[in-house]
């Protein structure tokens, strides 16, 4: 029965994706403003509905001004989850661009692909500056990788230099914490249960195999905790800003985990 259910989910997901791709591909040829986020927003919501990914929102996400959202990262499934709530561009490592299906979909959503190589730092910085100057809001995962969901590892400060050096007026940064509330119908008590949703650096499971396993289950409820915004102009040092954001996101995860116990 689980196999049949998973097969139906994958079929509906594939058909939905194939139906929406041509429209989005045409739209971004002529328009790359906020209107270009409408179809990805629809796709993200439908994806969450198909795979039964639900969210609980705590706090108030900023949607009426240009914002950089800073979050911990647990899984590729975070993308449709967050994308079903926020109309913004993700910042991802360059390897994501070559992922089957998801890489192409990421390009259609105007994702910024940043190389980890020190020789390409300036190129990545220029790309992000361009997107900010165009008025885009960004979603970044400063851990630089996805994790097991039990802690927030230190943020890499390199991305924060774009924020502290930006000439965009009134640029706001909003820390956000992701936490697994339920996975497959209950609170995940151990890493094996967390790994039904989490897809992280310590796993050797392929993305396709992981998605299949997730599709066979009952889905997940993920808490999105939006913290008070931070005025970036108060920070001239990227490392200090990175530490401040990390502390906020990390403390948020600890609070949510204690609440669920």
């Amino acid at each position: 029965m689980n196999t049949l259910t998973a097969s139906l989910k994958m079929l509906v997901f594939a058909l939905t994706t194939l139906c929406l791709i041509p429209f989005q591909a045409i739209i971004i040829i002529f328009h790359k403003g906020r209107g270009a986020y409408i179809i990805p927003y629809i796709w993200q919501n439908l994806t969450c509905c198909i795979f039964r990914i639900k969210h609980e929102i705590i706090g108030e996400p900023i949607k009426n001004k240009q914002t950089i959202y800073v979050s911990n990262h647990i899984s590729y499934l975070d993308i449709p989850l967050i994308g079903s709530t926020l109309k913004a561009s993700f910042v991802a490592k360059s390897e994501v661009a070559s992922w089957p299906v998801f890489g192409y979909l990421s390009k259609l959503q105007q994702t910024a692909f940043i190389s980890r190589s020190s020789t390409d730092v300036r190129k990545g910085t220029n790309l992000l500056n361009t997107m900010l100057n165009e008025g885009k809001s960004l979603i970044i995962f400063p851990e630089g990788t996805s994790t097991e969901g039990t802690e927030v590892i230190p943020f890499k400060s390199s991305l924060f230099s774009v924020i502290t050096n930006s000439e965009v007026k009134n640029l706001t940064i909003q820390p956000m914490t992701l936490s697994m509330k339920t996975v497959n119908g209950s609170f995940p008590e151990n890493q094996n249960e967390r790994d039904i949703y989490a897809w992280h650096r310590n796993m050797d499971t392929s993305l396709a195999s992981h998605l299949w396993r997730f599709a066979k289950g009952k889905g997940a409820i993920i808490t999105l905790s939006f913290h008070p915004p931070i005025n970036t102009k108060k920070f001239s040092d990227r490392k200090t800003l990175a530490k401040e954001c990390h502390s906020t996101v990390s403390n948020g995860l600890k609070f949510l985990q204690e609440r669920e116990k």
Side-chain angles (χ1 to χ4, degrees):
M1 187 65 179
N2 288 344
T3 299
L4 176 59
T5 299
S7 298
L8 289 173
K9 288 179 182 178
M10 299 296 278
L11 176 61
V12 175
F13 171 69
L15 292 175
T16 300
T17 301
L18 289 172
C19 287
L20 293 178
I21 279 179
F23 295 101
Q24 180 64 8
I26 294 172
I27 287 173
I28 63 171
I29 294 175
F30 302 101
H31 178 69
K32 294 185 179 181
R34 285 190 60 83
Y37 292 114
I38 294 175
I39 288 183
Y41 182 76
I42 293 171
W43 180 84
Q44 312 280 23
N45 276 276
L46 289 174
T47 299
C48 287
C49 182
I50 292 167
F51 291 104
R52 300 180 66 182
I53 305 171
K54 301 179 181 180
H55 61 248
E56 173 195 39
I57 293 180
I58 297 176
E60 190 69 31
I62 299 172
K63 296 184 178 181
N64 61 353
K65 61 186 298 187
Q66 188 176 14
T67 303
I68 296 181
Y69 305 94
V70 178
S71 177
N72 60 315
H73 193 21
I74 307 172
S75 172
Y76 60 91
L77 297 169
D78 297 341
I79 306 304
L81 174 74
I82 298 173
S84 68
T85 303
L86 303 173
K87 294 179 181 178
S89 289
F90 288 91
V91 177
K93 57 186 180 181
S94 57
E95 295 95 316
V96 174
S98 62
W99 286 4
V101 182
F102 288 95
Y104 180 64
L105 293 174
S106 296
K107 294 174 185 177
L108 291 180
Q109 192 173 335
Q110 304 180 74
T111 295
F113 300 104
I114 305 298
S115 173
R116 294 178 178 178
S117 171
S118 57
T119 58
D120 292 331
V121 169
R122 179 170 293 183
K123 186 186 297 184
T125 299
N126 291 338
L127 173 59
L128 295 181
N129 279 327
T130 298
M131 296 180 76
L132 289 175
N133 289 331
E134 290 173 346
K136 288 181 170 60
S137 291
L138 302 176
I139 302 164
I140 66 175
F141 302 113
E143 292 169 294
T145 185
S146 50
T147 63
E148 295 89 336
T150 57
E151 64 175 347
V152 181
I153 62 176
F155 286 171
K156 298 181 185 300
S157 64
S158 56
L159 286 176
F160 288 88
S161 64
V162 177
I163 301 171
T164 55
N165 296 329
S166 175
E167 297 180 357
V168 177
K169 294 182 179 180
N170 301 318
L171 183 62
T172 297
I173 187 167
Q174 184 171 35
M176 175 175 63
T177 300
L178 302 184
S179 179
M180 291 176 273
K181 183 174 183 178
T182 69
V183 176
N184 208 21
S186 61
F187 178 76
E189 299 285 353
N190 54 60
Q191 194 58 50
N192 183 56
E193 293 178 359
R194 284 188 288 270
D195 284 352
I196 295 174
Y197 177 87
W199 191 67
H200 51 81
R201 54 185 177 163
N202 294 325
M203 296 177 69
D204 57 5
T205 306
S206 69
L207 188 152
S209 296
H210 184 273
L211 182 59
W212 177 252
R213 182 191 182 197
F214 183 76
K216 292 171 71 174
K218 300 177 182 178
I221 300 176
I222 309 299
T223 300
L224 301 180
S225 181
F226 290 91
H227 304 289
I230 294 175
N231 186 343
T232 59
K233 297 304 180 184
K234 293 182 179 180
F235 296 85
S236 58
D237 181 355
R238 62 184 173 86
K239 292 185 178 181
T240 304
L241 177 57
K243 288 181 179 179
E244 176 70 17
C245 290
H246 175 267
S247 176
T248 300
V249 175
S250 181
N251 289 335
L253 181 60
K254 292 175 183 176
F255 170 79
L256 292 172
Q257 288 175 334
E258 286 296 322
R259 188 191 69 164
E260 298 303 331
K261 289 182 179 178

Coordinates of all heavy atoms in Angstrom, one line a residue, residues 193-227:
E193 N 14.5 8.3 12.5 CA 13.2 8.9 12.2 C 13.4 10.3 11.6 O 12.6 10.7 10.7 CB 12.4 8.9 13.5 CG 12.0 7.5 14.0 CD 11.3 7.6 15.3 OE1 11.1 8.7 15.9 OE2 10.9 6.5 15.8
R194 N 14.4 11.1 12.1 CA 14.6 12.4 11.6 C 15.0 12.3 10.1 O 14.7 13.2 9.3 CB 15.7 13.1 12.4 CG 15.2 13.7 13.7 CD 16.2 14.5 14.4 NE 17.3 13.8 14.9 CZ 17.4 13.2 16.1 NH1 16.4 13.4 17.0 NH2 18.4 12.6 16.6
D195 N 15.8 11.3 9.8 CA 16.3 11.1 8.4 C 15.2 10.8 7.4 O 15.5 10.8 6.2 CB 17.4 10.1 8.4 CG 18.7 10.6 9.0 OD1 18.8 11.8 9.3 OD2 19.6 9.7 9.2
I196 N 14.0 10.6 7.8 CA 12.9 10.4 6.8 C 12.7 11.8 6.1 O 12.4 11.8 4.9 CB 11.6 9.9 7.5 CG1 11.8 8.5 8.1 CG2 10.5 10.0 6.5 CD1 10.7 8.1 8.9
Y197 N 12.9 12.9 6.9 CA 12.8 14.2 6.3 C 14.1 14.8 6.0 O 14.4 15.3 4.9 CB 12.0 15.1 7.2 CG 11.9 16.6 6.7 CD1 10.9 17.0 5.9 CD2 12.9 17.5 7.1 CE1 10.9 18.3 5.4 CE2 12.9 18.8 6.6 CZ 11.8 19.2 5.7 OH 11.8 20.5 5.2
A198 N 15.1 14.6 6.9 CA 16.4 15.3 6.8 C 17.2 14.5 5.7 O 17.1 13.3 5.6 CB 17.1 15.2 8.1
W199 N 17.9 15.3 4.9 CA 18.9 14.8 3.9 C 20.1 15.6 4.1 O 20.1 16.8 3.6 CB 18.3 14.9 2.5 CG 19.0 14.2 1.5 CD1 19.2 12.8 1.4 CD2 19.8 14.7 0.4 NE1 19.9 12.5 0.3 CE2 20.3 13.6 -0.4 CE3 20.0 16.0 -0.1 CZ2 21.1 13.8 -1.5 CZ3 20.8 16.2 -1.2 CH2 21.3 15.1 -1.9
H200 N 21.1 15.1 4.7 CA 22.2 15.9 5.2 C 23.6 15.4 4.8 O 23.7 14.3 4.2 CB 22.1 16.1 6.7 CG 21.9 14.8 7.4 ND1 23.0 13.9 7.7 CD2 20.8 14.1 7.9 CE1 22.6 12.9 8.4 NE2 21.2 12.9 8.5
R201 N 24.6 16.1 5.3 CA 26.0 15.8 4.9 C 26.5 14.4 5.4 O 27.5 13.9 4.8 CB 26.9 16.9 5.6 CG 26.6 16.9 7.1 CD 27.4 18.0 7.8 NE 27.0 18.1 9.3 CZ 27.8 18.7 10.2 NH1 28.8 19.3 9.8 NH2 27.4 18.7 11.4
N202 N 25.9 13.8 6.4 CA 26.4 12.5 6.9 C 25.6 11.3 6.3 O 25.8 10.2 6.8 CB 26.3 12.5 8.4 CG 27.3 13.5 9.0 OD1 28.4 13.7 8.5 ND2 26.8 14.1 10.1
M203 N 24.8 11.6 5.3 CA 24.1 10.5 4.6 C 24.7 10.1 3.3 O 25.2 11.0 2.6 CB 22.6 10.9 4.4 CG 21.8 11.2 5.7 SD 20.1 11.8 5.4 CE 19.4 10.3 4.7
D204 N 24.6 8.8 3.0 CA 25.1 8.4 1.7 C 23.9 8.0 0.8 O 24.1 7.2 -0.2 CB 26.1 7.2 1.8 CG 25.5 6.0 2.6 OD1 24.3 6.1 2.9 OD2 26.3 5.1 2.8
T205 N 22.7 8.4 1.1 CA 21.5 8.1 0.4 C 21.3 9.1 -0.7 O 21.4 10.3 -0.5 CB 20.2 8.1 1.3 OG1 20.4 7.3 2.4 CG2 19.0 7.7 0.6
S206 N 21.0 8.6 -1.9 CA 20.8 9.5 -3.1 C 19.5 10.3 -2.9 O 18.6 9.9 -2.1 CB 20.7 8.7 -4.4 OG 19.5 7.9 -4.4
L207 N 19.4 11.4 -3.5 CA 18.2 12.3 -3.4 C 17.0 11.5 -3.8 O 15.9 11.5 -3.2 CB 18.4 13.5 -4.2 CG 17.3 14.6 -4.1 CD1 17.9 16.0 -4.3 CD2 16.1 14.4 -5.0
A208 N 17.1 10.8 -4.9 CA 15.9 10.0 -5.5 C 15.4 9.0 -4.5 O 14.2 8.8 -4.2 CB 16.2 9.4 -6.8
S209 N 16.4 8.2 -3.9 CA 16.0 7.2 -2.9 C 15.4 7.8 -1.6 O 14.5 7.3 -1.1 CB 17.3 6.4 -2.5 OG 17.8 5.7 -3.6
H210 N 15.9 8.9 -1.2 CA 15.4 9.6 -0.1 C 14.0 10.1 -0.3 O 13.1 9.9 0.5 CB 16.3 10.8 0.3 CG 15.9 11.5 1.6 ND1 15.0 12.5 1.6 CD2 16.2 11.3 2.9 CE1 14.8 12.9 2.9 NE2 15.5 12.1 3.7
L211 N 13.8 10.7 -1.5 CA 12.4 11.2 -1.8 C 11.4 10.1 -1.9 O 10.3 10.2 -1.4 CB 12.4 12.0 -3.1 CG 11.1 12.6 -3.6 CD1 10.6 13.6 -2.5 CD2 11.3 13.3 -4.9
W212 N 11.8 8.9 -2.4 CA 11.0 7.8 -2.5 C 10.6 7.3 -1.1 O 9.4 7.0 -0.8 CB 11.7 6.6 -3.3 CG 10.9 5.4 -3.3 CD1 11.1 4.2 -2.7 CD2 9.7 5.1 -4.1 NE1 10.2 3.2 -3.0 CE2 9.3 3.8 -3.8 CE3 8.9 5.9 -4.9 CZ2 8.2 3.2 -4.4 CZ3 7.8 5.4 -5.5 CH2 7.4 4.0 -5.3
R213 N 11.5 7.2 -0.2 CA 11.3 6.8 1.2 C 10.3 7.8 1.9 O 9.4 7.4 2.5 CB 12.6 6.7 2.0 CG 12.3 6.3 3.5 CD 13.6 6.4 4.3 NE 13.3 5.9 5.7 CZ 14.1 6.2 6.7 NH1 15.1 7.0 6.6 NH2 13.8 5.7 7.9
F214 N 10.5 9.1 1.6 CA 9.7 10.1 2.2 C 8.3 10.0 1.7 O 7.3 10.1 2.4 CB 10.2 11.5 2.0 CG 9.4 12.6 2.6 CD1 9.5 12.8 4.0 CD2 8.6 13.4 1.8 CE1 8.8 13.8 4.6 CE2 7.8 14.4 2.4 CZ 7.9 14.6 3.8
A215 N 8.2 9.7 0.4 CA 6.8 9.6 -0.3 C 6.0 8.5 0.2 O 4.8 8.5 0.2 CB 7.0 9.5 -1.8
K216 N 6.7 7.4 0.7 CA 6.0 6.2 1.2 C 5.4 6.5 2.6 O 4.6 5.7 3.1 CB 7.0 5.1 1.3 CG 7.4 4.6 -0.1 CD 8.5 3.5 0.0 CE 8.0 2.2 0.5 NZ 9.0 1.1 0.5
G217 N 5.8 7.6 3.3 CA 5.4 7.9 4.6 C 4.2 8.8 4.7 O 3.5 9.1 3.7
K218 N 4.0 9.4 5.9 CA 2.8 10.3 6.1 C 3.2 11.7 6.1 O 2.4 12.6 6.5 CB 2.2 9.9 7.5 CG 1.8 8.5 7.7 CD 1.3 8.3 9.1 CE 0.8 6.8 9.3 NZ 0.4 6.5 10.6
G219 N 4.4 12.1 5.6 CA 4.7 13.5 5.4 C 5.4 14.0 6.7 O 5.9 13.3 7.5
A220 N 5.4 15.3 6.8 CA 6.0 16.0 7.9 C 5.4 17.3 8.2 O 4.8 17.9 7.3 CB 7.5 16.2 7.7
I221 N 5.5 17.7 9.5 CA 5.1 19.1 9.9 C 6.4 19.8 10.4 O 7.0 19.3 11.3 CB 4.0 19.1 11.0 CG1 2.7 18.4 10.5 CG2 3.7 20.5 11.4 CD1 1.7 18.3 11.6
I222 N 6.7 20.9 9.7 CA 7.9 21.6 10.0 C 7.6 23.0 10.6 O 6.7 23.7 10.0 CB 8.8 21.8 8.8 CG1 9.1 20.4 8.1 CG2 10.2 22.4 9.2 CD1 9.7 19.4 9.0
T223 N 8.2 23.3 11.7 CA 7.9 24.6 12.3 C 8.9 25.6 11.6 O 10.1 25.4 11.5 CB 8.2 24.6 13.8 OG1 7.3 23.7 14.4 CG2 7.9 26.0 14.4
L224 N 8.3 26.7 11.2 CA 9.1 27.9 10.7 C 8.9 29.0 11.7 O 7.9 29.6 11.8 CB 8.5 28.3 9.3 CG 8.5 27.4 8.2 CD1 8.0 28.0 6.9 CD2 9.9 26.8 7.9
S225 N 10.0 29.3 12.4 CA 10.0 30.3 13.4 C 10.7 31.6 12.9 O 11.9 31.5 12.7 CB 10.6 29.8 14.7 OG 10.6 30.8 15.7
F226 N 9.9 32.6 12.6 CA 10.5 33.9 12.1 C 10.8 34.8 13.3 O 9.9 35.2 14.1 CB 9.5 34.6 11.2 CG 9.3 33.8 9.9 CD1 8.3 32.9 9.8 CD2 10.1 34.1 8.8 CE1 8.1 32.2 8.6 CE2 10.0 33.4 7.6 CZ 9.0 32.5 7.5
H227 N 12.1 35.1 13.4 CA 12.5 36.0 14.5 C 12.5 37.4 14.2 O 12.3 37.8 13.0 CB 14.0 35.6 14.9 CG 14.1 34.1 15.2 ND1 13.6 33.6 16.4 CD2 14.7 33.1 14.5 CE1 13.9 32.3 16.4 NE2 14.5 31.9 15.3

